[in-house]
Amino acid sequence: MASSSKANLTDEDEEEEEEVEHFDDFTLASSWERFISEIEATCRQWFADGPKNLLEKGAVHLDSSSKIYKVKSDLKDAAKIYSMEYYFEINNNGNIADWNCTLHDLQLCFGVKEFLVISPQSASGVVLDAPEASKLLSAVAIALSNCSSFWPVFVPVHNPSRKAFIGIQNMGTVFTRRFEADRIGSQVPIKFMHLEGLYELFVSKFAYSALDHPVHLFKVHLIMKLTYRTLPNDDEDDGIQDADAENAASETMPGGGNHSRKHWDDDCPWSEWYSAEDPVKGFDLVSTWSEKVVESSLEMAEMENSSPHEAEKWILTPNLSPNLDSSKGERIGFASQLQLLVSALDMSFEAQFMEDFVSVENPGSDNLKSSMVIPPPTVLDRVLKDLLIEGPQFPDFSKGEHKSSRAIKGAPVESLFAQFCLHSLWFGNCNIRAIAMLWIEFVREIRWYWEESQPLPKMPASGSIDLATCLIHQKLQMLAICIEKKRELNEEFQDCLGSNDDVFAHMEDIQDGEESTSFHAKTQGFDGKRDSPLILEGFDGSKTATSKLSTNSQDVYSADKSTSDSKRRGSAGPVGSMKLLNSCQSLHAPFTQNAPLMTEDMHEERLRAVEAFGDSFNFSAQLERETLSSDMSAFKAANPDAVFEDFIRWHSPGDWENDGSEADGLSKNLTEAMKDDWPPRGKLSGRMSGHGNLWRKIWNDAPSLPAYEQKPLLDPNREGEKILHYLETVRPHQLLEQMVCTAFRASADTLNLTNFGSLKQMSTKMDQLYLTMASTLRPLQANLLCGNSETIQDLRRLCVVFEHVEKLLTLAASLCRKFIPAPRVYEAIFSDYYDFYLPNMGMGSADVDVQKEFDMKLQLRVNEREVVSNMFTPPTANQSWRKVLSMGNLLNGHEPIRREVIFSKRDSSNDHHYAAGTRRGTHMNYQQEIETYRMYICGTSNDLRVALSITSYD
């Protein structure tokens, strides 16, 4: 027994010892007190760090606000875990602006700056139990009081959709603010849809009874903000992009159908090819009223009937299409089709001829057929009709041409080949099989024009070949000239068959008529026109004749009468005072044929021949034999007594070495010229006087024939057939290379016609685009491309750059047409969006934070309000049934989509029951005004949110 009792005593002593050893601090006896202590420690740390140090420790920037940051800490109370977040600004000076667009939602609701939010870590993120919410609020309030901090704290309660909060703020030893916010999501009472009812709701929070409302006049401070939104043009506007995609998939060509409604871009240059989605979906207009004092609900009723034009400020926010800054590639435009054309170029190396892509005998055609569909014949016929029949026959090639456009070796946008390339972008979704089919039929139609001697559409039939363009355009231009020559030859042949006698008689008159020759020389002014009605179009005057004639050549010519004049034919007049070597007759410049037209490949062929045979003077003469012989024949006809040396003196003065006496001959008058020694003194140069000189041999063989009796240097039949052979047998990759260059140039030239006002950024971007295209397309222009080349990847990147510029240009055009009377508005909006979009183009600074969403607020001037007001067109009957107008403050029949009102009541600290506490406190001024009640109301006819803060004396 003794041992048993002793053992029991020992156990009791051990228990007492354990209680002494494990003594707990009475201030942290419960989990709730430990929870408060943990909150206090966290708040003290945040308070000590300050905003700058918190940023260095990883404070998170809020996307919804440009100035707000937050830090987060997890706290545990018993079995529950809570998150406490501290929201703060870097510059924590000054007061909260009521309508600052950078405010956090709780800042706007309760008029606070920095604050805490504590919420459970649960799916809802709100406290559903009212006692738990009060406990949380009390815990944080005690912790903040221990820290001597005046931070307000909020707890989310009820359902998350209600956005309900309760909160508290210790304002020192005297005052405490309490917060409460809630929301009605549907079936808002009619009373609260009007300002009068909202005013009475606020007054009811501090009036002792409802009977006090009409009896007492309460001075209530009021500020208001109304937000209006323009209506969309049509319900179908959102489907324009999808409709365009379906049209492209079904090969419906632009301009092929009649649109029952007008699109926003019908008068834009790209509308011939596609309809772009309007990047500006609409505008939000925010009108704000400055603070005013209201004493009765009657004043609120009057204010509800006031016009938005009476508001102090108007702030405009553009609503841009989400597809504008999207990189998903869903947008249809030139850039998207150019991407497909580059893919077709990549596939063009798989065949030798264009027919191989559509031939049933091609072993690889099965794979092509399954993935690439050729449009039906009706679509093909419509394209060819639009390409070859409709439109101007003689377009202006300078139209839409940028100053850097010619750096790209393509074709002018209005030319036949450029139009073919643009049509190809939209034909069969621009796959290689569809392009091959369109090209084959296109060349077939070109051959018909050739065989029928019909003028080639969209191509000039005169002039020189533009070697700065692509080879196919040069070939088509030369073919148009050959067709015209062929037509003239046919017409002359028919005329000759019907009136041979008249023609011969007329030619005899030309040969024998001295007055006729003199008439041509005098009246034509040596401007290069032909001197016979039978001369072909290519017979222009000599290049040298006009440059060598002096102002007194007419005097010389009229004084120079001899029997030789009766033998002259094809003379354009005397060349200054120059005399023939074998007779004292004036040297006459002949009318000569133009040099034969040549395309780039013909020039290259001659250059290769020169390189192969070396720099041989005789070989060069051999290449130019036909032209040289024609000039010599014309010179002989114009100067019957001339010798080879006379021709050299006129045609190649550098090969005649004289003593200088003739150097001033062109500047002498007739009297002085007659005094000169004759014959002229000089000799041929070394290369002209050498043995076996080919020029002299050609001179000896050349007959004396004026230009109009010579065989044309250009054989239209031969050259036309050679051009058609080239078009029919061109290699696919050579065709696609020229198509890519021309399509890029024509697309850019089309966009360049867009009216975007005086936007300098857009002009600069267009200049950069042309330079980028010129450098990227240079390998294609030099025929340096091969299969699987890196150039293909460069072209794909070029398409991305083109898409960026196309998007910006579409936005610029849309803004410009909407704000023509107010250029400052569209310039400011575009400039802000340009700065926002620049990082997406890969051209922004690495140090600049990329803004995720474009959110611009532009304050309008008074003279700009009318322009914006006109955008709010009165609702149509189809639009007005959707809403029941119930909120007042209408703008051209539009009610605000959101109304925000802030009521406040202020009391002087020495006039009411607050004065007792104020007099004891030394930190407050006796005359300080205290905002005792504040109510923020945000709502529409279907939604109402109310946030109330009350300051009380404890």
Side-chain angles (χ1 to χ4, degrees):
M1 293 293 292
S3 61
S4 175
S5 62
K6 185 177 181 180
N8 291 335
L9 290 173
T10 302
D11 293 340
E12 291 176 359
D13 292 340
E14 290 178 355
E15 290 178 0
E16 291 177 358
E17 291 177 0
E18 288 180 359
E19 290 179 359
V20 173
E21 291 176 358
H22 296 281
F23 173 76
D24 292 328
D25 187 353
F26 72 93
T27 60
L28 302 175
S30 65
S31 61
W32 187 66
E33 290 171 336
R34 288 193 292 272
F35 182 57
I36 294 175
S37 178
E38 189 175 357
I39 295 174
E40 181 180 343
T42 302
C43 291
R44 286 183 182 275
Q45 184 64 46
W46 287 344
F47 190 79
D49 287 339
K52 294 184 178 179
N53 290 331
L54 289 176
L55 281 181
E56 297 176 357
K57 291 184 177 181
V60 180
H61 179 259
L62 297 187
D63 295 336
S64 58
S65 176
S66 61
K67 297 182 179 180
I68 306 297
Y69 296 82
K70 75 172 181 177
V71 289
K72 179 181 177 182
S73 178
D74 294 337
L75 307 170
K76 186 174 182 180
D77 178 26
K80 289 190 175 182
I81 300 177
Y82 296 92
S83 293
M84 186 170 66
E85 297 173 332
Y86 171 46
Y87 294 81
F88 63 95
E89 297 181 9
I90 301 299
N91 297 321
N92 200 14
N93 301 323
N95 299 323
I96 284 289
D98 293 308
W99 303 130
N100 193 333
C101 60
T102 62
L103 293 180
H104 186 274
D105 180 58
L106 293 178
Q107 289 179 314
L108 184 60
C109 286
F110 300 112
V112 297
K113 293 198 72 171
E114 49 189 354
F115 57 91
L116 298 174
V117 175
I118 185 167
S119 58
Q121 291 187 357
S122 61
S124 63
V126 299
V127 179
L128 302 177
D129 184 44
E132 181 186 358
S134 299
K135 179 182 176 181
L136 273 178
L137 210 58
S138 299
V140 181
I142 293 173
L144 292 175
S145 179
N146 295 338
C147 298
S148 300
S149 172
F150 298 152
W151 292 343
V153 58
F154 302 99
V155 177
V157 295
H158 305 311
N159 191 292
S161 63
R162 291 172 61 175
K163 299 181 180 179
F165 289 87
I166 59 173
I168 192 171
Q169 179 184 15
N170 177 22
M171 301 181 68
T173 59
V174 180
F175 298 104
T176 300
R177 293 179 71 188
R178 289 177 173 81
F179 309 98
E180 184 177 358
D182 208 341
R183 172 176 173 266
I184 301 176
S186 61
Q187 296 181 350
V188 177
I190 297 178
K191 178 180 180 181
F192 295 146
M193 294 181 187
H194 300 281
L195 290 176
E196 184 178 359
L198 298 176
Y199 170 79
E200 293 177 357
L201 174 66
F202 175 69
V203 172
S204 66
K205 298 302 178 181
F206 54 83
Y208 292 106
S209 67
L211 297 177
D212 288 344
H213 292 186
V215 176
H216 295 88
L217 297 178
F218 300 101
K219 292 186 178 181
V220 175
H221 296 263
L222 161 73
I223 58 175
M224 183 171 66
K225 181 174 80 170
L226 302 178
T227 303
Y228 300 87
R229 178 169 295 169
T230 58
L231 292 173
N233 294 331
D234 200 283
D235 290 338
E236 297 178 1
D237 280 353
D238 294 334
I240 291 179
Q241 198 69 22
D242 296 336
D244 286 339
E246 293 175 2
N247 290 342
S250 60
E251 295 81 37
T252 300
M253 295 305 302
N258 294 325
H259 302 287
S260 58
R261 62 190 181 90
K262 182 177 177 62
H263 293 293
W264 76 275
D265 60 346
D266 278 350
D267 56 348
C268 292
W270 63 76
S271 61
E272 181 183 356
W273 307 104
Y274 66 94
S275 180
E277 176 190 14
D278 192 345
V280 183
K281 289 300 183 182
F283 295 91
D284 284 355
L285 174 63
V286 175
S287 58
T288 59
W289 272 259
S290 57
E291 183 177 270
K292 62 182 302 184
V293 178
V294 182
E295 297 184 354
S296 67
S297 57
L298 181 60
E299 294 182 44
M300 298 302 300
E302 293 176 355
M303 189 173 183
E304 186 172 308
N305 294 326
S306 62
S307 169
H309 288 275
E310 301 176 14
E312 180 187 18
K313 294 181 181 179
W314 276 26
I315 299 175
L316 190 68
T317 300
N319 298 322
L320 303 183
S321 169
N323 296 328
L324 190 60
D325 56 349
S326 174
S327 59
K328 297 180 181 179
E330 299 175 352
R331 186 180 185 275
I332 291 182
F334 282 129
S336 63
Q337 304 309 112
L338 289 171
Q339 283 271 18
L340 300 175
L341 185 61
V342 172
S343 300
L345 170 63
D346 195 20
M347 296 186 64
S348 64
F349 293 91
E350 299 178 4
Q352 292 293 319
F353 300 98
M354 295 301 292
E355 288 81 359
D356 295 339
F357 289 106
V358 294
S359 174
V360 295
E361 299 178 358
N362 185 12
S365 62
D366 293 338
N367 295 332
L368 292 174
K369 288 180 180 178
S370 60
S371 59
M372 301 179 184
V373 180
I374 297 178
T378 54
V379 177
L380 178 62
D381 292 341
R382 187 164 64 246
V383 173
L384 293 175
K385 178 182 177 182
D386 181 70
L387 189 59
L388 295 170
I389 299 177
E390 298 178 354
Q393 294 296 313
F394 304 103
D396 181 11
F397 284 173
S398 63
K399 178 183 178 182
E401 200 171 74
H402 189 268
K403 61 182 180 181
S404 302
S405 182
R406 292 180 62 82
I408 304 169
K409 201 173 181 64
V413 63
E414 295 294 329
S415 66
L416 181 59
F417 183 62
Q419 293 296 303
F420 169 84
C421 294
L422 291 176
H423 276 283
S424 299
L425 293 177
W426 310 94
F427 185 75
N429 211 16
C430 199
N431 65 75
I432 187 63
R433 293 189 69 231
I435 293 174
M437 175 60 70
L438 182 60
W439 174 255
I440 292 171
E441 294 300 322
F442 173 72
V443 174
R444 191 171 298 166
E445 292 294 327
I446 295 299
R447 177 167 283 281
W448 180 89
Y449 279 92
W450 164 251
E451 293 176 349
E452 298 297 326
S453 299
Q454 295 298 316
L456 200 59
K458 301 181 176 70
M459 293 302 297
S462 61
S464 59
I465 303 298
D466 188 357
L467 299 180
T469 59
C470 65
L471 183 57
I472 292 180
H473 175 76
Q474 296 177 38
K475 295 288 186 182
L476 291 174
Q477 186 179 0
M478 189 166 181
L479 182 63
I481 295 174
C482 289
I483 291 175
E484 184 64 22
K485 303 293 186 187
K486 184 180 176 183
R487 290 182 61 193
E488 291 180 357
L489 287 174
N490 293 338
E491 291 175 0
E492 290 180 3
F493 179 73
Q494 295 296 329
D495 293 342
C496 288
L497 290 180
S499 55
N500 284 336
D501 296 338
D502 295 338
V503 171
F504 288 129
H506 181 65
M507 292 184 65
E508 290 176 359
D509 292 338
I510 293 176
Q511 295 176 9
D512 300 334
E514 176 181 336
E515 295 301 325
S516 175
T517 306
S518 176
F519 173 79
H520 281 291
K522 293 180 180 179
T523 59
Q524 291 185 10
F526 315 115
D527 59 357
K529 295 183 180 179
R530 58 177 179 261
D531 60 337
S532 169
L534 295 182
I535 298 176
L536 296 180
E537 195 63 38
F539 297 164
D540 289 352
S542 170
K543 307 174 288 293
T544 333
T546 307
S547 62
K548 294 183 179 179
L549 294 175
S550 66
T551 55
N552 58 358
S553 61
Q554 294 295 328
D555 298 332
V556 177
Y557 181 54
S558 60
D560 187 20
K561 301 287 185 177
S562 69
T563 55
S564 299
D565 290 342
S566 61
K567 301 178 182 178
R568 297 185 192 278
R569 293 183 299 168
S571 170
V575 181
S577 61
M578 292 182 66
K579 302 293 184 179
L580 298 178
L581 292 175
N582 290 349
S583 64
C584 192
Q585 299 295 323
S586 295
L587 188 150
H588 283 243
F591 284 108
T592 59
Q593 296 191 56
N594 278 341
L597 299 175
M598 290 192 295
T599 56
E600 184 179 22
D601 58 335
M602 299 168 68
H603 284 285
E604 291 176 352
E605 183 179 353
R606 291 202 169 199
L607 288 175
R608 285 193 296 268
V610 171
E611 292 174 358
F613 289 92
D615 188 13
S616 171
F617 175 69
N618 285 339
F619 180 72
S620 299
Q622 187 67 38
L623 287 177
E624 303 290 339
R625 185 184 186 98
E626 291 185 359
T627 305
L628 199 56
S629 177
S630 174
D631 290 348
M632 290 179 176
S633 295
F635 187 82
K636 284 184 177 182
N639 300 277
D641 298 330
V643 293
F644 176 66
E645 287 76 5
D646 292 323
F647 176 77
I648 296 300
R649 291 167 58 214
W650 169 74
H651 190 278
S652 181
D655 286 310
W656 177 256
E657 300 174 357
N658 54 36
D659 58 1
S661 61
E662 197 177 24
D664 299 330
L666 293 178
S667 61
K668 294 181 179 181
N669 56 31
L670 178 61
T671 305
E672 293 174 342
M674 290 301 183
K675 296 178 181 179
D676 288 344
D677 294 334
W678 181 87
R681 301 172 185 177
K683 62 178 181 178
L684 292 174
S685 64
R687 66 172 187 169
M688 286 295 178
S689 58
H691 179 70
N693 179 267
L694 186 60
W695 280 51
R696 186 177 292 276
K697 184 178 185 304
I698 297 174
W699 170 267
N700 295 333
D701 296 338
S704 176
L705 288 175
Y708 58 82
E709 293 184 7
Q710 297 176 13
K711 177 184 176 182
L713 293 176
L714 175 66
D715 186 349
N717 292 290
R718 180 186 62 187
E719 296 300 331
E721 288 296 337
K722 287 170 63 177
I723 292 170
L724 288 169
H725 176 74
Y726 169 82
L727 297 177
E728 292 169 346
T729 59
V730 63
R731 293 288 186 263
H733 71 91
Q734 294 176 347
L735 171 62
L736 267 296
E737 287 171 5
Q738 298 180 64
M739 286 184 63
V740 168
C741 291
T742 300
F744 268 103
R745 172 177 168 175
S747 300
D749 285 345
T750 301
L751 296 179
N752 191 50
L753 293 171
T754 306
N755 177 24
F756 50 80
S758 56
L759 297 176
K760 294 182 179 179
Q761 300 102 320
M762 197 65 250
S763 299
T764 302
K765 192 56 63 180
M766 288 299 296
D767 294 343
Q768 294 173 353
L769 175 64
Y770 276 96
L771 297 178
T772 305
M773 288 193 301
S775 61
T776 306
L777 298 173
R778 192 166 291 116
L780 276 66
Q781 300 169 186
N783 297 323
L784 300 177
L785 187 64
C786 59
N788 300 322
S789 170
E790 293 183 0
T791 306
I792 298 294
Q793 299 303 322
D794 293 338
L795 291 174
R796 297 189 193 279
R797 286 188 285 269
L798 178 61
C799 292
V800 176
V801 174
F802 197 100
E803 182 180 11
H804 289 319
V805 177
E806 189 174 13
K807 286 180 179 179
L808 289 176
L809 190 69
T810 307
L811 175 63
S814 179
L815 290 173
C816 181
R817 65 197 300 116
K818 290 177 173 62
F819 294 102
I820 293 177
R824 186 194 73 91
V825 177
Y826 75 76
E827 288 175 3
I829 296 175
F830 183 83
S831 179
D832 273 28
Y833 185 81
Y834 182 84
D835 295 337
F836 160 77
Y837 192 72
L838 204 59
N840 296 340
M841 301 177 67
M843 299 178 185
S845 173
D847 299 332
V848 178
D849 294 334
V850 177
Q851 186 180 348
K852 294 185 178 180
E853 292 184 2
F854 179 69
D855 184 21
M856 179 197 181
K857 314 290 183 184
L858 177 65
Q859 183 171 341
L860 298 176
R861 298 172 180 172
V862 176
N863 60 340
E864 297 166 344
R865 291 189 179 187
E866 189 65 28
V867 179
V868 176
S869 176
N870 292 336
M871 294 182 180
F872 292 85
T873 56
T876 62
N878 185 40
Q879 296 166 337
S880 60
W881 67 269
R882 306 174 187 176
K883 295 182 179 181
V884 177
L885 301 180
S886 54
M887 295 179 63
N889 299 115
L890 301 183
L891 176 61
N892 295 345
H894 296 258
E895 69 174 7
I897 62 168
R898 184 171 61 255
R899 177 171 57 199
E900 298 172 80
V901 183
I902 296 179
F903 293 108
S904 62
K905 184 177 183 297
R906 301 166 190 171
D907 291 296
S908 177
S909 58
N910 60 348
D911 289 342
H912 301 283
H913 64 279
Y914 299 102
T918 305
R919 294 189 183 97
R920 289 195 299 267
T922 58
H923 63 283
M924 300 185 72
N925 186 356
Y926 290 156
Q927 300 299 326
Q928 179 179 359
E929 255 192 350
I930 302 173
E931 188 179 66
T932 54
Y933 293 88
R934 182 185 189 275
M935 179 180 285
Y936 168 79
I937 301 173
C938 176
T940 66
S941 58
N942 298 317
D943 183 277
L944 183 65
R945 187 181 185 191
V946 179
L948 176 66
S949 63
I950 301 176
T951 303
S952 61
Y953 167 68
D954 295 332

